[in-house]
Amino acid sequence: MNHPKSDSKNTKNKTNTQENDNNTSDTNFIRQAIEEDIAANRFDGRVHTRFPPEPSGYLHIGHAKAICISFGIAEDYGGLYNLRFDDSNPITEEHEYVEAIKRDVHWLGFDWEEREFYASDYFETLYEYAVKLIEKEKAYVCDLTPDEMRTYRGTLVAPGKDSPYRNRSVEENLTLFNGMRNGEFPDGSRTLRAKIDMASPNLNMRDPVMYRVLRAPHYRHGTNWCIYPTYDFTHGQSDSIEGVTHSLCDVQFEDHRPLYDWFLESLEIYQPRQIEFARLNLTYTVLGKRKLKVLVEEGHVNGWDDPRLPTLAGMRRRGYTSESIQNFCNRIGVSKADNLIEIGQLEYSIRDDLNRHAPRVMAVLNPVKVIIDNYPEGQVEMLDADNNPEDKDAGTREIPFSREIYIEREDFMEDPPRKFYRLAPGREVRLKHAYYITCENVVKDANTGEIVEIHCTYDPKTRGGWSDDGRRVQGTLHWVSAEHAVDAEVRLYDSLFTEREPENAADGTDWIQFLNPDSLEILGNCKVEPSLVDAPPESRFQFLRIGYFCVDPDTTADKLVFNRTVPLRDSWAKIQKGQK
RNA sequence: AGGGCGGUGGCCAAGCGGUAAGGCACAGGUCUUUGGAACCUGCAUGCGUAGGUUCGAAUCCUACCCGCCCUGCCA
């Protein structure tokens, strides 16, 4: 597997090179807490974190934030980090997801080495822990039905009341719990509960369920178990078993921390420290596995790796680099405050990366033919072109030029508005890396009026795009030699939702109704320069003056398929808007 | 008898009693063989509100307002 060290070294300023020096804050409340713990020699000065996904879906950009925080911090303090699958609910979990998660975490740039764990591998230990709590009279078997339990739990403002089964003897509880494990009772008929405080203002402390009877095969342990521990009875103990020092999680678990601590203290086992931070929210999309699952399963998108999805698999296919995602996560920072990050922030991160690294190439998405009347028929010249003006080491390549070329249809206007610097009748422009050309006339389709050919003349003395007489042209166009062009399909993506906050849009409205019907546009008649013929899937390019694109795995020997990762910033579009 | 956590520019986010960092966005400008990039400049007399303590408050105190999370045998 290939996940170079350098990939995972840019999580903090002090480890940054000029490669990605943004002005990311060097500190946050989690790092401060850890530094205090180190200073106080708590945990013997160790730092050991974990990322605990449930294998019930694909990872998304929100998980990337969590991974960058947990793993990035461990790296920065010379600590260790574990990948642990939190797989205590057999109903939702599948092996496919563990493979996908591992692939995505590696791709993101983190290597958990041999520290790959599964909470379900602790089931036996967890069972023993449960027995221990029963013996300490801190847990009991309860026969209440789910409905009854809800009633007994009370409400947000009213205390609950004790279960009638709360005072069973240790003996009876032991027998019953063993019976639960041995399959003597039907699903849902009994639970093992922690005996805490039914009047606690924290509902998590009102005798929470530790075990449920559930006859569902576990993807990893088959039918070995018919009782499964709940998250609350699994998570802290798993952290404890693994020697985790700092268990970093979502703020939604703040209310669970007293319970996390209660189990570990009652069990008298090693106790990590849980610290919570705010989850990521992004404009114009939805995050959260349940919602993404709906999009995938109801066919609103084409699978978990649909490039429109904020999943890591989708973003990878879209053309995002792992570096750009890590930088994004570092840039947005960490706090406990609710946040809604603008999607532009993510786009900035990928442009910033690709600008420095993506080879420039010429591609015409919506071609119109240009015929250079004074260029010799049949002649072909090879012209030198920079691969990347931002990177001197990127070198040059040769591109063919000939009498007939394609340019972008929108780069020509018969009746151009003010500030339109491109081709128009009588106007001279530069063909990038090639020659100055002047438009002489156009040929239109007799029926539709559509322009089918633009006739130009070129100035042979401007080879390479320079003139030595001081003459300047305002516009520079990209182009592709018609004879040499390679056909391609290009997929343009727009945001998946039309609302900035699809989940909060108007009360009572379903977020799904805000799906953008135009989130995918397929261009089937694109012309790209011949150097791209053998570009492998996932290779990334800047299509000059258009945007960043990557080769989609749908590409076949006779059809190139590109995904637009993100367009270039377009100040002409802004001017146009202003003119309207 | 509710509890927990938050509130610093349009969006994020530093700050931790000594006079509001930084990034994104936005607006001007320079440069340019990408209307890209880069570079320069501008952008909170203000930190939810009101009081109080202090020589000095975003930081401390009090009260209030607003937002989010919690009533699964999900995680």
Side-chain angles (χ1 to χ4, degrees), chain A residues 23 32 89 144 153 188 199 231 332 335 340 355 360 390 419 421-422 430 464 466 542 545 571:
Chain A
N23 292 278
Q32 285 179 9
N89 180 8
L144 254 24
R153 187 161 34 234
Y231 164 85
I332 60 174
S335 75
L340 210 215
N355 174 52
R360 309 293 114 135
E390 302 293 319
K419 289 189 175 172
Y421 299 151
R422 289 112 98 140
R430 172 190 296 112
W466 302 95
Q542 184 194 100
R545 301 210 302 134
S571 53

Coordinates of all heavy atoms in Angstrom, one line a residue, chain A residues 23 32 89 144 153 188 199 231 332 335 340 355 360 390 419 421-422 430 464 466 542 545 571, chain B residues 1-3 5 11-13 15-16 22-24 33-37 68 71-75:
Chain A
N23 N -2.3 29.8 6.6 CA -2.2 30.4 7.9 C -3.0 29.7 9.0 O -3.6 30.4 9.8 CB -2.5 31.9 7.8 CG -1.5 32.6 6.9 OD1 -0.4 32.9 7.4 ND2 -1.7 32.7 5.7
Q32 N -4.6 22.2 23.3 CA -4.3 22.8 24.6 C -4.5 21.8 25.8 O -3.7 21.7 26.7 CB -5.1 24.1 24.9 CG -4.6 25.3 24.1 CD -5.5 26.5 24.3 OE1 -6.3 26.5 25.2 NE2 -5.2 27.5 23.5
N89 N -23.5 -3.1 16.3 CA -24.9 -3.2 15.8 C -24.9 -4.0 14.5 O -24.7 -3.5 13.4 CB -25.5 -1.9 15.6 CG -27.0 -2.0 15.1 OD1 -27.5 -3.1 15.1 ND2 -27.6 -0.9 14.8
L144 N -38.7 -5.0 31.0 CA -39.6 -4.0 30.4 C -39.6 -4.0 28.9 O -38.5 -4.2 28.3 CB -39.2 -2.6 30.9 CG -39.9 -1.8 31.9 CD1 -40.7 -2.7 32.9 CD2 -39.0 -0.9 32.7
R153 N -38.8 6.0 31.5 CA -37.6 6.9 31.5 C -38.0 8.3 31.9 O -37.1 9.1 32.2 CB -37.1 6.8 30.0 CG -35.7 7.6 29.9 CD -35.0 7.2 28.7 NE -35.9 6.9 27.6 CZ -35.8 5.8 26.9 NH1 -34.9 4.8 27.1 NH2 -36.7 5.6 25.9
G188 N -35.5 -8.7 22.1 CA -36.2 -7.6 22.6 C -36.9 -7.8 24.0 O -37.5 -6.9 24.5
A199 N -33.6 9.4 38.1 CA -34.0 10.8 38.2 C -33.0 11.8 37.7 O -33.1 13.0 37.8 CB -34.3 11.1 39.7
Y231 N -23.6 1.0 22.1 CA -22.5 2.0 22.0 C -21.9 2.4 23.3 O -20.7 2.4 23.5 CB -23.0 3.2 21.2 CG -22.0 4.4 21.3 CD1 -20.9 4.5 20.5 CD2 -22.2 5.3 22.3 CE1 -20.0 5.5 20.6 CE2 -21.3 6.4 22.5 CZ -20.2 6.5 21.6 OH -19.3 7.5 21.8
I332 N -10.0 25.0 8.3 CA -11.2 25.4 8.9 C -11.2 25.3 10.5 O -12.0 25.9 11.1 CB -12.4 24.4 8.5 CG1 -12.1 23.0 8.8 CG2 -12.6 24.6 7.0 CD1 -13.2 22.0 8.5
S335 N -13.4 23.8 16.8 CA -14.0 24.5 18.0 C -15.2 23.7 18.4 O -15.5 22.6 17.8 CB -14.3 25.9 17.7 OG -15.5 26.0 16.9
L340 N -20.9 26.3 9.7 CA -21.4 25.9 8.4 C -20.4 26.5 7.4 O -20.3 27.7 7.2 CB -22.7 26.7 8.2 CG -23.8 26.1 7.3 CD1 -24.6 27.2 6.5 CD2 -23.4 25.0 6.3
N355 N -3.4 24.0 -8.7 CA -2.7 25.1 -9.5 C -1.2 24.8 -9.5 O -0.5 25.0 -10.4 CB -3.0 26.4 -8.8 CG -2.1 27.5 -9.4 OD1 -2.1 27.7 -10.7 ND2 -1.4 28.3 -8.6
R360 N -0.9 21.6 -17.3 CA -1.8 22.3 -18.1 C -1.9 21.6 -19.5 O -0.9 21.1 -20.0 CB -1.3 23.7 -18.4 CG -0.9 24.6 -17.2 CD -1.7 25.1 -16.2 NE -1.4 24.5 -14.9 CZ -1.4 25.2 -13.8 NH1 -1.5 26.5 -13.8 NH2 -1.2 24.6 -12.7
E390 N 3.7 27.2 -13.1 CA 3.9 27.4 -11.6 C 5.0 26.4 -11.2 O 5.5 26.5 -10.0 CB 2.7 27.0 -10.8 CG 1.4 27.8 -11.2 CD 1.6 29.2 -10.7 OE1 2.1 29.5 -9.6 OE2 1.1 30.1 -11.5
K419 N -15.5 45.0 -23.2 CA -14.6 44.2 -22.3 C -14.5 42.7 -22.8 O -14.0 41.9 -22.1 CB -15.0 44.2 -20.9 CG -14.7 45.6 -20.2 CD -14.9 45.5 -18.7 CE -14.4 46.8 -18.1 NZ -14.8 46.9 -16.7
Y421 N -12.7 40.3 -24.7 CA -11.4 40.3 -25.2 C -11.1 39.2 -26.2 O -9.9 39.0 -26.7 CB -10.3 40.2 -24.1 CG -10.4 41.4 -23.1 CD1 -9.9 41.2 -21.8 CD2 -10.8 42.6 -23.5 CE1 -10.0 42.2 -20.9 CE2 -10.9 43.7 -22.6 CZ -10.4 43.4 -21.3 OH -10.5 44.5 -20.4
R422 N -12.1 38.4 -26.5 CA -11.8 37.2 -27.3 C -12.0 37.5 -28.8 O -12.0 38.6 -29.2 CB -12.7 36.1 -26.8 CG -12.2 35.5 -25.5 CD -13.1 35.8 -24.3 NE -13.9 34.7 -24.0 CZ -14.2 34.2 -22.8 NH1 -13.7 34.8 -21.7 NH2 -15.0 33.2 -22.6
R430 N -4.5 35.9 -29.6 CA -3.4 34.9 -29.6 C -4.0 33.5 -29.4 O -4.9 33.3 -28.6 CB -2.5 35.3 -28.5 CG -1.4 34.2 -28.2 CD -0.6 34.4 -27.0 NE 0.2 35.6 -27.0 CZ -0.1 36.7 -26.3 NH1 -1.1 36.7 -25.4 NH2 0.7 37.8 -26.4
G464 N 4.7 30.8 -31.7 CA 4.9 30.7 -30.3 C 4.1 31.6 -29.5 O 3.9 31.6 -28.3
W466 N 4.3 35.1 -29.9 CA 5.0 36.4 -29.6 C 5.1 37.2 -30.9 O 5.2 36.7 -32.0 CB 6.4 36.2 -29.2 CG 6.6 35.3 -28.0 CD1 6.8 34.0 -28.0 CD2 6.5 35.8 -26.6 NE1 6.9 33.6 -26.7 CE2 6.7 34.6 -25.8 CE3 6.4 37.0 -26.1 CZ2 6.8 34.7 -24.5 CZ3 6.4 37.1 -24.7 CH2 6.6 35.9 -23.9
Q542 N -5.1 20.6 -15.6 CA -5.8 21.9 -15.8 C -6.1 22.0 -17.2 O -5.2 22.0 -18.1 CB -5.0 23.1 -15.3 CG -5.9 24.4 -15.4 CD -5.1 25.7 -15.3 OE1 -4.8 26.3 -16.3 NE2 -4.7 26.0 -14.0
R545 N -7.7 27.7 -19.1 CA -8.7 28.7 -19.1 C -10.1 28.1 -18.7 O -11.1 28.8 -18.6 CB -8.9 29.4 -20.4 CG -7.6 30.1 -20.9 CD -7.9 31.3 -21.7 NE -8.7 30.9 -22.9 CZ -9.8 31.5 -23.3 NH1 -10.3 32.6 -22.7 NH2 -10.4 31.1 -24.4
S571 N -13.3 35.6 -13.8 CA -13.6 37.0 -13.5 C -14.4 37.6 -14.7 O -15.1 38.6 -14.6 CB -12.4 37.9 -13.3 OG -11.4 37.7 -14.2
Chain B
rA1 P -36.8 21.4 42.4 OP1 -38.0 21.0 43.1 OP2 -35.4 21.1 42.7 O5' -37.0 21.2 40.8 C5' -36.2 22.0 39.9 C4' -36.4 21.4 38.5 O4' -35.7 20.1 38.5 C3' -37.8 21.1 38.2 O3' -38.1 21.4 36.8 C2' -38.0 19.6 38.4 O2' -38.9 19.0 37.6 C1' -36.6 19.1 38.1 N9 -36.2 17.9 38.8 C8 -36.4 17.5 40.1 N7 -35.8 16.4 40.5 C5 -35.2 16.0 39.3 C6 -34.5 14.8 39.0 N6 -34.2 13.9 39.9 N1 -34.0 14.7 37.7 C2 -34.3 15.7 36.9 N3 -34.9 16.8 37.0 C4 -35.4 16.9 38.3
rG2 P -37.8 22.9 36.4 OP1 -37.7 23.7 37.7 OP2 -38.8 23.3 35.4 O5' -36.3 23.0 35.7 C5' -36.1 22.4 34.4 C4' -35.3 21.2 34.5 O4' -35.8 20.2 33.7 C3' -33.8 21.4 34.1 O3' -33.0 21.9 35.1 C2' -33.4 20.0 33.7 O2' -33.2 19.1 34.8 C1' -34.7 19.5 33.0 N9 -34.8 20.0 31.6 C8 -35.4 21.1 31.1 N7 -35.3 21.3 29.8 C5 -34.5 20.3 29.4 C6 -33.9 19.9 28.2 O6 -34.1 20.5 27.1 N1 -33.2 18.8 28.2 C2 -32.9 18.0 29.4 N2 -32.1 17.0 29.2 N3 -33.3 18.3 30.6 C4 -34.1 19.5 30.5
rG3 P -31.6 22.7 34.8 OP1 -31.0 23.0 36.0 OP2 -31.9 23.7 33.8 O5' -30.7 21.6 34.1 C5' -30.2 20.5 34.8 C4' -29.4 19.6 33.9 O4' -30.3 19.1 32.9 C3' -28.3 20.2 33.1 O3' -27.1 20.3 33.9 C2' -28.1 19.2 31.9 O2' -27.5 18.0 32.4 C1' -29.6 18.9 31.6 N9 -30.2 19.8 30.6 C8 -31.0 20.9 30.8 N7 -31.3 21.6 29.7 C5 -30.6 20.8 28.7 C6 -30.5 21.0 27.3 O6 -31.1 21.9 26.6 N1 -29.7 20.1 26.7 C2 -29.1 19.1 27.4 N2 -28.4 18.2 26.6 N3 -29.1 18.8 28.7 C4 -29.9 19.8 29.3
rC5 P -21.6 22.2 30.3 OP1 -20.3 22.0 30.8 OP2 -22.5 23.2 30.9 O5' -21.5 22.6 28.8 C5' -20.8 21.7 27.9 C4' -21.0 22.1 26.5 O4' -22.4 22.0 26.1 C3' -20.7 23.6 26.2 O3' -19.4 23.8 26.1 C2' -21.5 23.7 24.8 O2' -20.8 23.1 23.8 C1' -22.8 22.9 25.1 N1 -23.8 23.8 25.6 C2 -24.6 24.5 24.7 O2 -24.3 24.3 23.5 N3 -25.6 25.4 25.1 C4 -25.8 25.5 26.4 N4 -26.7 26.4 26.7 C5 -25.0 24.9 27.4 C6 -24.1 24.0 26.9
rC11 P -22.1 35.0 8.8 OP1 -23.3 34.2 9.2 OP2 -21.2 35.7 9.7 O5' -21.1 34.0 8.0 C5' -21.7 33.0 7.1 C4' -20.6 32.0 6.8 O4' -19.6 32.6 6.0 C3' -19.8 31.4 8.0 O3' -20.5 30.4 8.7 C2' -18.5 31.0 7.4 O2' -18.7 29.7 6.7 C1' -18.3 32.1 6.4 N1 -17.4 33.2 6.9 C2 -16.1 33.0 6.9 O2 -15.6 31.9 6.4 N3 -15.3 34.0 7.3 C4 -15.8 35.1 7.8 N4 -15.0 36.0 8.3 C5 -17.2 35.3 7.9 C6 -18.0 34.3 7.4
rC12 P -20.2 30.0 10.1 OP1 -21.1 29.0 10.5 OP2 -20.1 31.2 11.0 O5' -18.7 29.4 10.0 C5' -17.8 29.4 11.0 C4' -16.5 28.8 10.5 O4' -16.0 29.7 9.4 C3' -15.4 28.8 11.5 O3' -15.5 27.6 12.3 C2' -14.2 28.8 10.7 O2' -13.9 27.5 10.1 C1' -14.6 29.8 9.6 N1 -14.3 31.2 10.0 C2 -13.0 31.6 10.0 O2 -12.1 30.9 9.7 N3 -12.7 32.9 10.4 C4 -13.7 33.7 10.7 N4 -13.4 35.0 11.1 C5 -15.1 33.3 10.7 C6 -15.3 32.0 10.4
rA13 P -15.4 27.8 13.9 OP1 -15.4 26.4 14.5 OP2 -16.5 28.7 14.4 O5' -14.0 28.4 14.1 C5' -12.8 27.8 13.6 C4' -11.7 28.7 13.8 O4' -11.9 29.9 13.0 C3' -11.4 29.2 15.2 O3' -10.7 28.2 15.9 C2' -10.6 30.5 14.9 O2' -9.3 30.1 14.6 C1' -11.3 31.0 13.6 N9 -12.3 32.0 13.9 C8 -13.6 31.9 13.9 N7 -14.3 33.0 14.1 C5 -13.3 34.0 14.2 C6 -13.3 35.4 14.3 N6 -14.4 36.1 14.5 N1 -12.1 36.0 14.3 C2 -11.0 35.3 14.2 N3 -10.8 34.0 14.0 C4 -12.0 33.4 14.0
rG15 P -6.1 30.6 21.3 OP1 -4.9 29.8 21.8 OP2 -7.4 30.1 21.5 O5' -6.0 32.0 21.9 C5' -4.9 32.9 21.6 C4' -5.4 34.3 21.8 O4' -6.6 34.6 21.0 C3' -5.7 34.6 23.2 O3' -5.0 35.7 23.7 C2' -7.2 34.9 23.2 O2' -7.6 35.9 24.0 C1' -7.5 35.3 21.7 N9 -8.9 35.0 21.4 C8 -9.5 33.8 21.3 N7 -10.8 33.9 21.0 C5 -11.0 35.3 20.9 C6 -12.2 36.0 20.7 O6 -13.3 35.6 20.5 N1 -11.9 37.4 20.6 C2 -10.7 38.0 20.8 N2 -10.7 39.3 20.8 N3 -9.6 37.3 21.1 C4 -9.8 36.0 21.1
rC16 P -4.6 35.9 25.2 OP1 -4.5 37.4 25.2 OP2 -3.4 35.1 25.5 O5' -5.8 35.4 26.0 C5' -6.4 36.2 27.0 C4' -6.9 35.4 28.2 O4' -7.6 34.2 27.7 C3' -5.8 34.9 29.1 O3' -6.2 34.9 30.4 C2' -5.6 33.4 28.6 O2' -5.2 32.5 29.7 C1' -7.0 33.0 28.2 N1 -7.1 32.1 27.1 C2 -7.1 30.7 27.4 O2 -7.0 30.4 28.6 N3 -7.1 29.8 26.4 C4 -7.2 30.2 25.1 N4 -7.2 29.2 24.2 C5 -7.2 31.5 24.8 C6 -7.1 32.4 25.8
rG22 P -3.7 39.6 10.3 OP1 -2.7 40.3 9.6 OP2 -5.1 40.2 10.5 O5' -3.9 38.1 9.8 C5' -2.7 37.3 9.8 C4' -3.2 35.9 9.6 O4' -3.9 35.4 10.7 C3' -4.1 35.7 8.4 O3' -3.5 35.6 7.2 C2' -4.8 34.3 8.8 O2' -3.9 33.3 8.5 C1' -4.9 34.5 10.3 N9 -6.2 35.1 10.6 C8 -6.5 36.4 10.9 N7 -7.8 36.6 11.1 C5 -8.4 35.4 10.8 C6 -9.8 35.1 10.8 O6 -10.8 35.8 11.1 N1 -10.0 33.7 10.5 C2 -9.0 32.8 10.2 N2 -9.3 31.6 10.0 N3 -7.7 33.2 10.2 C4 -7.5 34.4 10.5
rG23 P -4.3 36.0 5.8 OP1 -3.3 36.1 4.7 OP2 -5.2 37.1 6.1 O5' -5.2 34.7 5.6 C5' -4.6 33.4 5.4 C4' -5.7 32.4 5.3 O4' -6.4 32.3 6.5 C3' -6.7 32.7 4.2 O3' -6.3 32.3 2.9 C2' -7.9 31.8 4.8 O2' -7.6 30.5 4.5 C1' -7.7 32.0 6.3 N9 -8.6 33.1 6.7 C8 -8.2 34.4 7.1 N7 -9.2 35.2 7.5 C5 -10.3 34.4 7.3 C6 -11.7 34.6 7.5 O6 -12.2 35.7 7.9 N1 -12.5 33.5 7.2 C2 -12.0 32.3 6.7 N2 -13.0 31.4 6.5 N3 -10.7 32.1 6.5 C4 -9.9 33.1 6.8
rC24 P -6.9 33.1 1.7 OP1 -6.2 32.6 0.5 OP2 -6.9 34.6 2.0 O5' -8.4 32.6 1.7 C5' -8.8 31.3 1.4 C4' -10.3 31.1 1.5 O4' -10.7 31.4 2.8 C3' -11.1 32.1 0.7 O3' -11.2 31.6 -0.7 C2' -12.5 32.0 1.4 O2' -13.1 30.8 1.1 C1' -12.0 32.0 2.8 N1 -12.0 33.3 3.4 C2 -13.2 33.9 3.8 O2 -14.3 33.2 3.6 N3 -13.2 35.1 4.3 C4 -12.1 35.8 4.5 N4 -12.2 37.0 5.0 C5 -10.8 35.2 4.1 C6 -10.8 34.0 3.6
rU33 P 2.7 38.6 -21.3 OP1 4.0 38.7 -21.8 OP2 1.7 39.7 -21.4 O5' 2.0 37.3 -22.1 C5' 0.6 37.3 -22.3 C4' 0.1 35.9 -22.5 O4' 0.6 35.4 -23.8 C3' 0.7 35.0 -21.5 O3' -0.4 34.1 -21.1 C2' 1.7 34.1 -22.2 O2' 1.8 32.8 -21.7 C1' 1.1 34.1 -23.6 N1 2.1 33.8 -24.7 C2 2.0 32.6 -25.3 O2 1.1 31.8 -25.0 N3 2.9 32.4 -26.3 C4 3.9 33.2 -26.6 O4 4.7 32.8 -27.5 C5 4.0 34.4 -25.9 C6 3.1 34.7 -25.0
rU34 P -1.1 34.4 -19.8 OP1 -1.8 35.7 -19.8 OP2 -0.2 34.1 -18.7 O5' -2.2 33.2 -19.8 C5' -2.9 33.0 -21.0 C4' -4.2 32.4 -20.6 O4' -4.0 31.1 -20.0 C3' -5.0 33.2 -19.6 O3' -6.4 33.1 -19.9 C2' -4.7 32.5 -18.3 O2' -5.7 32.7 -17.3 C1' -4.6 31.1 -18.7 N1 -3.7 30.3 -17.8 C2 -4.3 29.1 -17.3 O2 -5.4 28.8 -17.5 N3 -3.4 28.4 -16.5 C4 -2.1 28.7 -16.2 O4 -1.5 28.0 -15.5 C5 -1.6 29.9 -16.8 C6 -2.4 30.7 -17.6
rG35 P -7.2 34.4 -20.3 OP1 -8.4 33.8 -20.9 OP2 -6.4 35.4 -21.0 O5' -7.7 35.0 -18.9 C5' -6.9 36.0 -18.2 C4' -7.8 36.8 -17.3 O4' -8.7 37.5 -18.1 C3' -8.7 35.8 -16.4 O3' -9.0 36.5 -15.2 C2' -10.0 35.7 -17.2 O2' -11.1 35.5 -16.5 C1' -10.1 37.1 -17.9 N9 -10.8 37.1 -19.1 C8 -10.9 36.1 -20.1 N7 -11.6 36.5 -21.1 C5 -12.0 37.8 -20.8 C6 -12.7 38.7 -21.5 O6 -13.3 38.6 -22.6 N1 -12.8 39.9 -20.9 C2 -12.3 40.2 -19.6 N2 -12.5 41.4 -19.2 N3 -11.5 39.4 -19.0 C4 -11.4 38.2 -19.6
rG36 P -8.1 36.3 -13.9 OP1 -8.9 36.7 -12.8 OP2 -6.8 37.0 -14.2 O5' -7.7 34.8 -13.8 C5' -8.7 33.8 -13.5 C4' -8.0 32.5 -13.3 O4' -7.2 32.1 -14.4 C3' -7.0 32.5 -12.1 O3' -7.6 32.3 -10.9 C2' -6.1 31.3 -12.5 O2' -6.7 30.1 -12.2 C1' -6.0 31.5 -14.0 N9 -4.9 32.4 -14.4 C8 -4.9 33.7 -14.8 N7 -3.7 34.2 -15.0 C5 -2.8 33.2 -14.6 C6 -1.4 33.2 -14.6 O6 -0.7 34.1 -14.9 N1 -0.9 32.0 -14.1 C2 -1.7 30.9 -13.8 N2 -1.1 29.8 -13.3 N3 -3.1 30.9 -13.8 C4 -3.5 32.1 -14.2
rA37 P -7.0 33.0 -9.6 OP1 -7.7 32.4 -8.4 OP2 -7.1 34.5 -9.8 O5' -5.5 32.6 -9.6 C5' -5.1 31.2 -9.2 C4' -3.6 31.1 -9.3 O4' -3.2 31.4 -10.7 C3' -2.8 32.1 -8.4 O3' -2.7 31.6 -7.1 C2' -1.5 32.1 -9.2 O2' -0.7 30.9 -9.0 C1' -2.0 32.1 -10.6 N9 -2.1 33.5 -11.1 C8 -3.3 34.2 -11.3 N7 -3.1 35.4 -11.8 C5 -1.8 35.5 -11.9 C6 -0.9 36.6 -12.3 N6 -1.4 37.8 -12.7 N1 0.4 36.4 -12.3 C2 0.9 35.2 -11.9 N3 0.2 34.1 -11.5 C4 -1.1 34.3 -11.5
rC68 P -31.8 25.9 16.7 OP1 -32.4 25.5 15.4 OP2 -32.8 25.9 17.9 O5' -30.7 24.9 17.1 C5' -29.6 24.6 16.1 C4' -28.6 23.7 16.8 O4' -28.0 24.5 17.9 C3' -29.1 22.5 17.5 O3' -29.2 21.4 16.5 C2' -27.9 22.2 18.4 O2' -26.8 21.6 17.8 C1' -27.6 23.6 18.9 N1 -28.3 23.9 20.2 C2 -27.8 23.5 21.4 O2 -26.8 22.7 21.3 N3 -28.4 23.8 22.5 C4 -29.5 24.6 22.5 N4 -30.0 24.9 23.7 C5 -30.0 25.1 21.3 C6 -29.4 24.8 20.1
rU71 P -32.8 11.5 22.3 OP1 -32.5 10.1 21.9 OP2 -33.3 12.5 21.4 O5' -33.8 11.4 23.5 C5' -33.6 10.5 24.6 C4' -34.9 10.2 25.3 O4' -35.3 11.5 25.9 C3' -36.0 9.8 24.5 O3' -36.0 8.4 24.3 C2' -37.2 10.2 25.3 O2' -37.5 9.3 26.3 C1' -36.8 11.5 25.9 N1 -37.2 12.7 25.2 C2 -38.5 13.1 25.4 O2 -39.3 12.6 26.2 N3 -38.9 14.2 24.7 C4 -38.1 14.9 23.8 O4 -38.6 15.9 23.2 C5 -36.8 14.4 23.6 C6 -36.4 13.3 24.3
rG72 P -36.5 7.8 22.9 OP1 -37.2 8.8 22.2 OP2 -37.0 6.5 23.2 O5' -35.1 7.5 22.1 C5' -34.1 6.7 22.6 C4' -34.2 5.3 22.2 O4' -34.2 5.3 20.7 C3' -33.1 4.4 22.7 O3' -33.7 3.1 22.9 C2' -32.2 4.3 21.5 O2' -31.5 3.0 21.4 C1' -33.3 4.3 20.3 N9 -32.8 4.6 19.0 C8 -32.7 3.7 18.0 N7 -32.2 4.2 16.9 C5 -32.0 5.6 17.2 C6 -31.6 6.6 16.5 O6 -31.2 6.7 15.3 N1 -31.6 7.8 17.2 C2 -31.9 7.9 18.5 N2 -31.9 9.1 19.0 N3 -32.4 7.0 19.2 C4 -32.4 5.8 18.5
rC73 P -33.8 2.6 24.3 OP1 -35.3 2.4 24.6 OP2 -33.0 3.3 25.3 O5' -33.2 1.1 24.1 C5' -31.9 0.9 24.0 C4' -31.6 -0.3 23.2 O4' -32.2 -1.5 23.9 C3' -32.2 -0.4 21.8 O3' -31.3 -1.1 21.0 C2' -33.5 -1.2 22.0 O2' -33.8 -1.9 20.8 C1' -33.0 -2.2 23.1 N1 -34.2 -2.7 23.8 C2 -34.5 -4.0 23.6 O2 -33.8 -4.7 22.8 N3 -35.5 -4.6 24.3 C4 -36.2 -3.8 25.1 N4 -37.2 -4.4 25.8 C5 -35.9 -2.5 25.3 C6 -34.9 -1.9 24.7
rC74 P -31.2 -0.7 19.4 OP1 -32.5 -0.9 18.8 OP2 -30.0 -1.6 19.0 O5' -30.7 0.8 19.3 C5' -29.4 1.1 19.5 C4' -28.8 1.4 18.1 O4' -29.5 2.6 17.5 C3' -27.4 1.9 18.1 O3' -26.5 0.7 18.1 C2' -27.3 2.6 16.7 O2' -27.3 1.7 15.7 C1' -28.7 3.3 16.7 N1 -28.6 4.7 17.2 C2 -28.2 5.7 16.4 O2 -27.8 5.4 15.2 N3 -28.1 7.0 16.8 C4 -28.5 7.3 18.1 N4 -28.5 8.5 18.5 C5 -28.9 6.2 19.0 C6 -29.0 5.0 18.5
rA75 P -25.3 0.7 19.0 OP1 -24.7 -0.7 18.9 OP2 -25.6 1.3 20.3 O5' -24.3 1.7 18.3 C5' -23.8 1.4 16.9 C4' -23.3 2.7 16.4 O4' -24.3 3.7 16.4 C3' -22.2 3.3 17.2 O3' -20.9 2.8 16.9 C2' -22.3 4.8 16.8 O2' -21.6 5.1 15.6 C1' -23.8 5.0 16.7 N9 -24.4 5.5 17.9 C8 -24.8 4.7 19.0 N7 -25.3 5.5 20.0 C5 -25.3 6.7 19.5 C6 -25.7 8.0 20.0 N6 -26.3 8.1 21.2 N1 -25.5 9.1 19.3 C2 -24.9 9.0 18.1 N3 -24.5 7.9 17.5 C4 -24.7 6.8 18.2

